[in-house]
Amino acid sequence: MWNKFLIFFVFLFFGFTQTIEATHNRAGEITFDQIGDLTIRVTITTYTKESSQAADRDSLEIFWGDGTSEYIYRTNGNGESLPNDIKKNLYEWEHTYPGRATYTIHFVDKNRVADIINVTPPNSVDVPFYLETTFTFLDAQFQGINNSARLLQAPIDFACVGEKFIHNPNAYDEDGDSLAFELIVPFQGEGVQVDDYTFPDDILPGPDNFISLDPETGTFTWDAPKIAAEYNIAFRINEYRNGLLINSIIRDMQIFVRTCNDDPPQIEVIDEICVVAGEKLSIPIEVSDPDEGQLVQLTATGGPFEVRPDSAILIAPSGFNEVPFTASLEWQTRCEHISDQYYQVVLRAVDNYFGDSTGLADIKTVRIKIVGPAPEDLVAVSTSSQIDLTWNLPYTCEDTEDDYFQGFSVWRKLQSNPFPIDTCAPGLDGKGYTKIKFITNENNGNQYTYSDMTVEKGKTYCYRVLAEFALISSAGNPFNPVQSLASNEVCLQLSRDLPLMTKVSVLNTDVSNGEIFVRWTKPLAADLDTVENPGPYRYQLMRSDDGGFTYNDVVGASFDSPLLSSEIDTMFLDQNLNTLTNQYFYQVAFFTEGSNIPFGTSNFASSVFLNVFASDKKNRLEWEATTPWVNLDSKIFRLNDNTLNFDSIDITTDNFYVDRNLINGKEYCYRIETIGTYGIDNIEDPLFNYSQESCGTPIDTVAPCPPVLDIISICDDEDGGITIEDLINKLSWSNPNFVCPETSDVFAYNVYYTPNIDGDLSLIANIQGASNQYLEHKPDIGIAGCYVVTALDTVGNESIYSNTFCVDNCPFYELPNTFTPNNDGSNDLFVPLKNRFIVSIDFQIYNEWGNLVFETTDPAILWDGRNFKGKELSSSTYYYTCRVYEQRVSGTVESPVLLKGFIQLIRG
């Protein structure tokens, strides 16, 4: 393969490349716009060699993918002349299809340009140039129209030998569909890839020559070219809507790599930013160049320059300028710009090393997301049977062109989730909320409103609201929906006419004298109709020790009150409990009018129960608590042996924690403090509750990592240290202490063996010492068998098996073609040159007339040149057939190997 490239390099160097008038295509792609239910306007863009006049095309044949084709004409005159012998050609036409389906448009021209080093060198001129675009007609009434992405950066670029090259096609989709990029082999026909194509980094490959394509942004990086030449690459841009592939475009592009003593300019700018619609975006840009005296031009392309109205603008000096200089990207964003896809701006700074616009360039891709503003001032008010929500009217983005704003969705969850707002992550997916109203624009003229009538007493409901945006199909149906940032969260209960649990905290841990402190709130007078539910009132604390299934009255925890406003205890110290091993649940029954039948009961709340699981040099803590409030954080406390106090060692949002780097055999004791909230006004906040104390003693119960086994046998090392007489397998393995430092206490190994693949493993060796990683083993028959190794630590924990390494007998049988049975003690017997792991043979020797003169089944043969009667045979040529039966790990081969040949018997 390398010879062809070397020859091609010689042609390039001495200018011997033949000039062929048909040489033509450099790069291009096919894009389209949907202009009717079944009609598209297609554009074929090609970049060709301008000096190749004979191959200039004023029309191209396009194949529409529905069984038809036609010639379409160039629409930009004679083409647009560009520097470096390049012409840009545009061919546009409209076509109506017979029905909704997926179609592939393609175009093929019989010639590329000559001298493309990685396309069938040195004959790239004879390789056809092929482009295709596949698209799907959607149901326009429900799914909207489907336009292809537009590629805003030209498919011609320039690089220097030894310098990193970066290119981005800057694909923009006006429909808001998501795009993904993949590098492919260029095509020369429908379904036919270019023969003998080489990716650029496979030409003089090495660690400093590699290519990559970012599948999300489309940025192609080549670090770095090694040979000055022309290269072509191709990539496919896939377009998705609602997770389904609807379009794909193949772009074929050309890269000119030149030898130059030049460093690229440098652009300093942010990589990514998210802003709320309506804000004015101003991104500073700094441009410099490490080469003194060079001029630099800065340009920008991308979706923000394509949107209307209020497109982005680049404020920068025009043309080539001295460096350094500053520029800025300015964009007055609008509500119509809101999208769940990032807009992409490609900044390109090119120097004038070659005296034109083809110097070395640096590009930077800036990703911009425009998000919908959050609905503001969400408020909730409860009544006896519903919760009413209101938020600000007008909404900032409610007046949009083409009805882009659809309305609001309402989301609900039990208990609060006060997550921080991330401007780059609008919506509520994954936050634990459920959408209970998909679209509403209901208002009372002053505020937007929504009433939730599917609520129950005693539960805490939390709400957020999103603004919803979408493009509109021809039939008025939304597609490509986008959600705004979330509103503030509001939480409340339907009506607080029942007690509310606020604390269940373990004060003392003991098997019989444990103590738990319990607290609750009284009902709100405003929510309890005291006319229909007059006093006297009674609060009865109830306890469960079976997981909340059965509740019993707590003795001494009944509190009477003539009036709801009367002073009364709302706390209790529950004593004589087994808090060491039991978790307790509590709730309060509320009685009115002196009745013995409760008006209702509060929600239940449990104590925090902690379990400690000991392991090697660590304790894993896990705790649980079932509460009507949400616990946001948990503090971990560990007993200090010196002060006998519990010290805080960490805080976490999880319900587990691993305390590491402990001493095996030493007891450690812990307790957990949870920090929670109802997220409701006029309720104690935050809520602190302790678990019981729980202890654990770390012990090494963790087995070491398994070793990695390797074996050298006679099959691998016949010319080395193992001989056929030895029939020894040399085993070696890795030391797990170096691979898994957390279990670095290996001190021995067990080696297991079975002579058969499916046989039971047997222990054949116990090897002491972590550094003793070698064993020689001689099986009873041959060398066949399977091995595994395990590692043992200092307390006897044994690892899982290593990889299973099976050794086969690698049979080999080779016969000579001459022997001299003249009793001189040398070469008197016909024996095999090599005889390894052969069970038996079926060997026959024939004379020149085809008569059988000798046969044997002994693999050693031991023929002395005599026939069956013991008579010496004369010097001559004899012929043999030999069926060889091999011995392998799975047994004798059923189908023997057949050998045929001749033997020259020489006497004298």
Side-chain angles (χ1 to χ4, degrees):
M1 178 177 182
W2 286 111
N3 287 337
K4 70 180 181 184
F5 286 120
L6 291 173
I7 293 171
F8 189 41
F9 298 159
V10 172
F11 284 170
L12 290 174
F13 183 79
F14 288 104
F16 289 157
T17 306
Q18 183 182 6
T19 300
I20 302 174
E21 288 300 322
T23 180
H24 190 56
N25 290 283
R26 297 187 183 276
E29 71 265 349
I30 303 173
T31 57
F32 68 90
D33 293 312
Q34 184 176 350
I35 59 176
D37 189 38
L38 294 173
T39 303
I40 64 169
R41 179 186 297 114
V42 72
T43 300
I44 300 178
T45 304
T46 66
Y47 290 77
T48 57
K49 185 172 184 177
E50 187 170 28
S51 62
S52 182
Q53 297 294 328
D56 190 38
R57 310 280 192 255
D58 65 350
S59 64
L60 300 176
E61 186 178 12
I62 184 171
F63 295 83
W64 294 106
D66 59 357
T68 67
S69 68
E70 59 186 309
Y71 281 88
I72 64 175
Y73 290 91
R74 185 163 52 199
T75 55
N76 63 334
N78 292 324
E80 179 185 354
S81 294
L82 301 173
N84 300 289
D85 199 14
I86 299 170
K87 179 191 284 188
K88 179 180 179 181
N89 309 279
L90 299 176
Y91 305 84
E92 297 178 317
W93 202 249
E94 296 176 5
H95 184 73
T96 299
Y97 285 84
R100 281 199 300 272
T102 297
Y103 299 95
T104 297
I105 307 168
H106 78 262
F107 142 75
V108 63
D109 199 342
K110 62 181 180 180
N111 297 109
R112 294 174 179 263
V113 294
D115 300 339
I116 306 175
I117 190 174
N118 64 327
V119 174
T120 319
N123 302 311
S124 63
V125 67
D126 297 324
V127 177
F129 180 73
Y130 176 87
L131 299 173
E132 75 172 33
T133 290
T134 300
F135 71 97
T136 301
F137 275 118
L138 306 175
D139 188 335
Q141 294 189 51
F142 296 97
Q143 298 169 293
I145 61 173
N146 177 16
N147 299 299
S148 75
R150 283 185 283 156
L151 309 183
L152 305 177
Q153 196 73 25
I156 301 286
D157 216 334
F158 301 84
C160 284
V161 172
E163 296 288 347
K164 180 189 288 187
F165 168 75
I166 304 174
H167 174 86
N168 191 303
N170 206 358
Y172 167 66
D173 187 80
E174 63 181 89
D175 300 332
D177 298 323
S178 61
L179 304 177
F181 302 80
E182 59 175 323
L183 195 65
I184 62 172
V185 174
F187 283 77
Q188 64 182 47
E190 188 173 6
V192 181
Q193 294 180 334
V194 168
D195 292 330
D196 201 10
Y197 176 79
T198 305
F199 283 101
D201 57 348
D202 284 332
I203 296 178
L204 296 186
D208 55 351
N209 182 8
F210 69 92
I211 62 174
S212 64
L213 180 71
D214 188 316
E216 187 174 6
T217 66
T219 296
F220 173 81
T221 302
W222 184 4
D223 192 7
K226 297 301 175 189
I227 299 295
E230 295 178 18
Y231 299 77
N232 269 64
I233 63 170
F235 44 86
R236 181 181 283 111
I237 301 103
N238 295 316
E239 183 177 335
Y240 296 86
R241 183 174 298 181
N242 298 326
L244 299 177
L245 179 65
I246 58 174
N247 299 332
S248 67
I249 300 172
I250 290 178
R251 165 175 269 196
D252 197 318
M253 73 166 288
Q254 188 165 60
I255 305 169
F256 292 81
V257 177
R258 298 170 171 176
T259 300
C260 43
N261 184 21
D262 186 26
D263 292 314
Q266 296 175 351
I267 302 174
E268 293 295 331
V269 69
I270 61 172
D271 295 323
E272 183 175 299
I273 189 171
C274 301
V275 297
V276 177
E279 295 179 2
K280 183 174 183 179
L281 183 65
S282 182
I283 300 176
I285 306 164
E286 296 183 3
V287 180
S288 61
D289 195 308
D291 298 317
E292 292 186 10
Q294 287 195 345
L295 304 180
V296 176
Q297 181 184 48
L298 179 68
T299 58
T301 58
F305 301 98
E306 305 296 318
V307 296
R308 299 290 184 273
D310 291 332
S311 302
I313 58 173
L314 176 68
I315 300 177
S318 61
F320 285 88
N321 295 270
E322 294 182 354
V323 289
F325 64 80
T326 60
S328 65
L329 175 65
E330 307 284 338
W331 190 14
Q332 177 58 61
T333 63
R334 295 169 53 98
C335 296
E336 289 80 4
H337 301 155
I338 295 168
S339 175
D340 63 349
Q341 302 297 313
Y342 280 87
Y343 293 90
Q344 189 164 278
V345 172
V346 174
L347 299 168
R348 188 173 189 268
V350 59
D351 63 30
N352 65 337
Y353 180 79
F354 294 108
D356 54 27
S357 62
T358 60
L360 200 56
D362 180 29
I363 73 166
K364 286 295 179 67
T365 301
V366 180
R367 287 161 38 94
I368 304 169
K369 178 177 277 192
I370 310 300
V371 300
E376 296 181 333
D377 295 334
L378 179 63
V379 176
V381 176
S382 66
T383 65
S384 59
S385 60
Q386 66 187 50
I387 294 177
D388 297 322
L389 304 176
T390 60
W391 59 97
N392 281 2
L393 186 159
Y395 170 62
T396 306
C397 281
E398 66 181 31
D399 294 323
T400 55
E401 296 180 2
D402 299 325
D403 297 324
Y404 191 44
F405 170 71
Q406 295 291 292
F408 300 94
S409 57
V410 181
W411 299 68
R412 184 183 75 185
K413 76 181 296 292
L414 293 176
Q415 302 181 352
S416 174
N417 181 11
F419 62 87
I421 297 297
D422 179 359
T423 308
C424 290
L428 286 169
D429 289 339
K431 300 294 193 303
Y433 295 83
T434 300
K435 187 187 291 189
I436 59 173
K437 183 66 176 178
F438 283 78
I439 291 292
T440 180
N441 282 294
E442 187 176 349
N443 65 84
N444 58 17
N446 297 313
Q447 294 174 307
Y448 286 104
T449 63
Y450 177 75
S451 295
D452 184 8
M453 301 181 183
T454 60
V455 290
E456 301 176 12
K457 284 188 176 183
K459 293 184 178 180
T460 301
Y461 295 96
C462 296
Y463 298 87
R464 291 185 189 264
V465 174
L466 299 178
E468 299 279 349
F469 302 86
L471 297 174
I472 302 300
S473 72
S474 59
N477 295 305
F479 67 97
N480 278 357
V482 184
Q483 296 176 333
S484 74
L485 296 172
S487 72
N488 59 295
E489 183 187 59
V490 292
C491 299
L492 77 169
Q493 292 188 333
L494 184 62
S495 58
R496 286 173 49 193
D497 54 1
L498 291 171
L500 201 63
M501 301 295 301
T502 59
K503 183 178 282 292
V504 179
S505 187
V506 179
L507 297 188
N508 184 39
T509 301
D510 193 83
V511 69
S512 58
N513 293 314
E515 297 177 327
I516 295 179
F517 183 62
V518 185
R519 187 161 62 220
W520 61 92
T521 67
K522 295 190 297 182
L524 293 180
D527 290 344
L528 179 68
D529 189 339
T530 56
V531 175
E532 288 204 10
N533 302 288
Y537 304 101
R538 182 165 67 92
Y539 302 86
Q540 176 62 58
L541 181 64
M542 306 177 72
R543 180 181 64 227
S544 169
D545 59 7
D546 62 357
F549 291 100
T550 305
Y551 284 88
N552 297 303
D553 292 351
V554 177
V555 177
S558 180
F559 305 92
D560 296 316
S561 171
L563 301 174
L564 194 63
S565 59
S566 300
E567 294 290 334
I568 189 175
D569 271 345
T570 56
M571 62 186 73
F572 184 76
L573 181 62
D574 198 9
Q575 299 177 308
N576 302 319
L577 303 174
N578 177 9
T579 54
L580 182 65
T581 60
N582 287 349
Q583 183 181 30
Y584 292 92
F585 292 71
Y586 293 89
Q587 62 182 15
V588 174
F590 179 57
F591 299 84
T592 63
E593 300 184 66
S595 172
N596 290 325
I597 299 175
F599 173 78
T601 57
S602 71
N603 284 335
F604 61 82
S606 77
S607 59
V608 183
F609 193 78
L610 170 65
N611 285 300
V612 179
F613 302 95
S615 187
D616 185 21
K617 301 177 184 177
K618 61 186 177 184
N619 284 325
R620 179 180 174 88
L621 285 61
E622 297 180 4
W623 56 95
E624 59 179 351
T626 305
T627 62
W629 61 85
V630 58
N631 287 315
L632 303 176
D633 298 295
S634 297
K635 281 186 179 179
I636 296 92
F637 291 83
R638 186 175 65 199
L639 183 64
N640 186 316
D641 293 339
N642 297 322
T643 65
L644 299 182
N645 294 322
F646 279 88
D647 296 336
S648 174
I649 61 172
D650 212 340
I651 188 169
T652 180
T653 58
D654 297 317
N655 62 346
F656 64 89
Y657 180 80
V658 179
D659 192 14
R660 303 179 185 275
N661 300 317
L662 305 180
I663 300 172
N664 283 345
K666 177 182 176 181
E667 184 179 62
Y668 296 85
C669 295
Y670 306 87
R671 67 187 308 192
I672 302 297
E673 182 188 41
T674 59
I675 306 169
T677 182
Y678 270 107
I680 300 176
D681 294 337
N682 302 318
I683 293 291
E684 177 185 356
D685 197 340
L687 302 173
F688 300 100
N689 290 280
Y690 281 104
S691 73
Q692 90 285 13
E693 299 172 18
S694 186
C695 303
T697 302
I699 185 172
D700 187 358
T701 59
V702 179
C705 294
V708 177
L709 174 62
D710 189 28
I711 299 176
I712 295 176
S713 70
I714 187 174
C715 303
D716 307 303
D717 195 23
E718 184 176 358
D719 297 326
I722 303 177
T723 66
I724 189 66
E725 289 77 17
D726 291 331
L727 296 181
I728 289 174
N729 293 325
K730 291 184 176 181
L731 287 69
S732 62
W733 52 87
S734 62
N735 184 343
N737 287 341
F738 301 119
V739 179
C740 303
E742 67 275 12
T743 57
S744 58
D745 55 352
V746 172
F747 91 107
Y749 303 97
N750 282 340
V751 182
Y752 298 87
Y753 168 78
T754 176
N756 301 308
I757 291 178
D758 299 323
D760 294 331
L761 290 165
S762 299
L763 180 67
I764 59 172
N766 174 263
I767 300 173
Q768 301 292 308
S771 60
N772 292 328
Q773 301 159 247
Y774 181 81
L775 175 69
E776 291 188 354
H777 179 241
K778 183 177 182 180
D780 293 335
I781 301 176
I783 61 170
C786 296
Y787 299 83
V788 298
V789 179
T790 61
L792 295 91
D793 64 18
T794 54
V795 296
N797 295 311
E798 185 174 15
S799 74
I800 61 174
Y801 288 153
S802 69
N803 55 303
T804 300
F805 201 120
C806 292
V807 179
D808 209 339
N809 279 329
C810 59
F812 193 81
Y813 199 65
E814 183 179 355
L815 297 176
N817 57 16
T818 302
F819 87 116
T820 58
N822 52 14
N823 299 315
D824 64 355
S826 176
N827 199 26
D828 289 331
L829 295 176
F830 184 82
V831 295
L833 296 174
K834 293 183 179 179
N835 174 12
R836 191 167 67 198
F837 308 124
I838 304 302
V839 176
S840 64
I841 62 173
D842 186 3
F843 182 76
Q844 293 93 27
I845 298 178
Y846 300 87
N847 63 19
E848 56 187 313
W849 297 283
N851 298 319
L852 181 67
V853 296
F854 179 79
E855 65 179 346
T856 183
T857 59
D858 182 0
I861 301 179
L862 302 176
W863 182 42
D864 59 2
R866 299 173 184 270
N867 64 13
F868 292 114
K869 298 179 180 179
K871 179 182 178 181
E872 290 185 351
L873 298 175
S874 62
S875 297
S876 184
T877 300
Y878 296 85
Y879 301 90
Y880 70 84
T881 63
C882 181
R883 286 180 170 80
V884 182
Y885 295 86
E886 303 171 341
Q887 179 191 31
R888 293 187 179 271
V889 69
S890 57
T892 301
V893 176
E894 295 181 2
S895 300
V897 178
L898 178 62
L899 303 178
K900 293 182 180 181
F902 67 90
I903 303 170
Q904 192 71 37
L905 190 156
I906 302 173
R907 295 189 183 275

